[in-house]
Amino acid sequence: MSPDDSRDPAHRDNGHEAAGAAAFVPETEDLEALRAAAADCQGCELFRDATQTVFGRGAPRARLALVGEQPGDVEDERGAPFVGPAGRLLVQAIDEAGIDRDQIWVTNAVKHFRFTVRGTRRIHQTPDAVHIAACKPWLSAELRSVAPDVVVCLGATATRALLGTTVRVMRDRGVVLERDTSLGTKRFLVTVHPSAILRTPDADRPSAYAALVSDLRVAAAALQLLG
Ligand code: URA
Ligand code: SF4
């Protein structure tokens, strides 16, 4: 774990310093090697009930990365991030913001689906700080490899994983945040999670969606300014 990671409040919440993904992460920037190793991760208990590790996907040299919370039910089955309902909304918003969907890296803060079973249904459970901390080495490794210029945190879990607890989504959304981290990347933008928009009551959904698109445009503009 890097010195920077140990200062991250998400990590301080983790009482199990010995646990976590670090022991499973190979010393490589090769994304496919990282993906293969992540498939065998047992860094926290979430691997037990989930179907498979859902690693990031996209352009290996993407200048923009988007980080969600954890795979959902569909992602757990298919083994790819953001391929369910939230993913469809995200892709639509990305298109509308003028971002080339083939030039981004998409991943999650936590790489196994956390859920409870109710009858025949698997109900999403928000990951705890310990899961965020345990899985952070994978997120750090993939973001070091991709080395995007801007990282978009979709919702509170990604924000917590990358920026700690001092950044608040609703207060700090939609502006470029410059941060010194152990990652190659120092520019972040936080916004709402697309699932939150799906849960927004009908009357308020169009404006919630428009605000997400507007935030993504800020990220796109930041990339253009960087040249
Ligand atoms: N929600 C997420 O945060 N990530 C996914 O991959 C799917 C839904
Ligand atoms: Fe490893 Fe992350 Fe899965 Fe936990 S959630 S087992 S740390 S890949």
Side-chain angles (χ1 to χ4, degrees), residues 10 33 37 53 62 68 78 87 91 101 113 121 137 176-177 181 188 210:
T53 306
R78 297 196 19 207
V91 167
R101 62 164 98 162
F113 180 34
R121 293 184 59 211
V176 175
L177 304 168
T181 73
F188 299 86

Side-chain angles (χ1 to χ4, degrees), residues 21 38 41-44 46-47 53 110-112 134-135 138:
C41 184
Q42 300 186 358
C44 73
L46 296 185
F47 79 94
T53 306
V110 173
K111 286 171 171 57
H112 275 109
C135 216
W138 291 119

